């Protein structure tokens, strides 16, 4: 049986903080509700729940903190893993820096809305697209075109590092290896040097560079994709069995039509992402979790729905889709 990770004082604590632009709201919600952050299941961020614990790898490389970063060797290893020429790849401080560096050089516009908030929206210029599309999670058609492709979730959706399209690609190791604090991303392009010319020196930290070789050694994109597909279906079933309208595609998340779900689940230690900033009011994005996490989501849903019945006197209350 799963352990109840909710705090008895949570229902009596402060208001749920507003959703951030990019998810990862677990620590803020834990602080507001008086919960231990370690007990909060943060599904407002969409990571790979099947990668081995990166913390153990980090502990073996703490001596790197005494050295300035030197990214050349790590960039070569990543280029080899992805299958591109080393001179075409630059490591960045997360996918966000990769996007910012390229956008600062060439500007551009998104292919369509909704789209990831960090992509430029200048109304003209190069076309940016995410693949799979963020937030719907749908993979692009093989003949789709764009000038800049954001493949942050592509490895987890396909089991392959890249679609190897012409033009510019930005990516993120944060999602693949479930390590948002390490800040590892990349740009791939023929003119990558000019696209990243404004990158600050020592942008990528030494600890991230030190663990990168081991991360690449343990990488198993094909198995992770299969596990994600299975887990996504199981997560969708949890919500569908309770009457929610669910959309799932290719990415490591599902979309649930459920106004108020974020606020109802938070006191029970489960955090989901509000998609209002995508212009999708009432839709929640729910990241994936390992098997034990699925049981926690099931328990939290039942308790949230029971609380809604008690407070509003109708089945499911305001959290039903």
């Amino acid at each position: 049986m799963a352990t109840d990770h909710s705090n008895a004082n949570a229902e009596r604590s402060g208001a749920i903080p507003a959703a951030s632009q990019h998810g990862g709201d677990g620590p803020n919600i834990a602080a507001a509700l008086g919960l231990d952050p370690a007990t909060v299941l943060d599904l407002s961020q969409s990571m790979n729940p099947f990668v081995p614990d990166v913390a153990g790898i980090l502990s073996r490389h703490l001596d790197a903190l005494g050295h300035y970063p030197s990214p050349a060797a790590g960039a070569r290893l990543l280029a080899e893993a992805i299958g591109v020429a080393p001179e075409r790849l630059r490591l960045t401080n997360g996918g966000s820096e990769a996007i910012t560096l390229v956008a600062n050089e060439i500007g551009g516009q998104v292919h369509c809305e909704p789209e990831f908030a960090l992509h430029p929206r200048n109304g003209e210029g190069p076309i940016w697209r995410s693949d799979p599309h963020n937030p719907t999670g749908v993979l692009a058609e093989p003949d789709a075109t764009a000038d800049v492709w954001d493949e942050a979730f592509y490895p987890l959706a396909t089991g392959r590092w890249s679609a190897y399209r012409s033009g510019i690609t930005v990516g993120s190791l944060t999602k693949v290896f479930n390590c948002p604090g390490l800040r590892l991303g990349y740009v791939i392009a023929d003119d990558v040097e000019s696209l990243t010319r404004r990158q600050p020196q020592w942008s990528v930290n030494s600890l991230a560079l030190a663990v990168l070789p081991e991360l690449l050694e343990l990488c198993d994109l094909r198995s992770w994709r299969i596990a994600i597909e299975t887990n996504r279906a199981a997560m969708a079933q949890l919500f569908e069995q309770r009457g929610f309208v669910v959309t799932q595609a290719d990415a490591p998340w599902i979309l649930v039509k459920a106004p108020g779900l974020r606020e109802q689940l938070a006191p029970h230690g489960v955090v989901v992402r509000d998609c209002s900033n995508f212009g999708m009011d009432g839709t929640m994005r729910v990241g994936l979790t390992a098997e034990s996490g699925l049981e926690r989501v099931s328990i939290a849903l039942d308790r949230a729905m029971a609380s809604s019945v008690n407070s509003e006197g109708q089945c499911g209350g305001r959290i039903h889709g």
Side-chain angles (χ1 to χ4, degrees), residues 16-26 29 40-47 99 113-119 121 130 132-137 150 152-153 174-175 235 239 245 247 251-266 269-288 297 301:
I16 305 294
S20 65
Q21 190 174 29
H22 303 295
D25 294 336
I29 286 180
V40 171
L41 183 60
D42 191 353
L43 303 183
S44 69
Q45 53 187 18
S46 299
M47 303 290 170
I99 292 169
E113 296 288 6
E115 182 55 274
F116 184 47
L118 290 183
H119 293 174
R121 288 163 168 78
S130 52
H133 179 244
N134 190 357
T136 65
D150 185 341
F153 294 103
T174 290
K175 282 74 176 178
M235 181 71 81
F239 285 88
V245 176
T247 303
W253 65 75
I254 63 171
L255 298 178
V256 182
K257 189 67 174 177
L261 180 64
R262 179 177 180 269
E263 291 73 21
Q264 292 286 340
L265 284 179
V270 174
V271 180
V272 298
R273 180 173 177 180
D274 189 323
C275 289
S276 297
N277 69 309
F278 285 111
M280 301 165 65
D281 292 344
T283 297
M284 305 296 133
R285 194 170 91 176
V286 184
L288 304 184
V297 174
L301 275 172

Side-chain angles (χ1 to χ4, degrees), residues 197-209:
R197 65 187 179 89
R198 302 189 205 189
Q199 184 180 36
Q201 191 171 14
W202 303 316
S203 174
V204 182
N205 70 82
S206 292
L207 188 56
L209 293 170

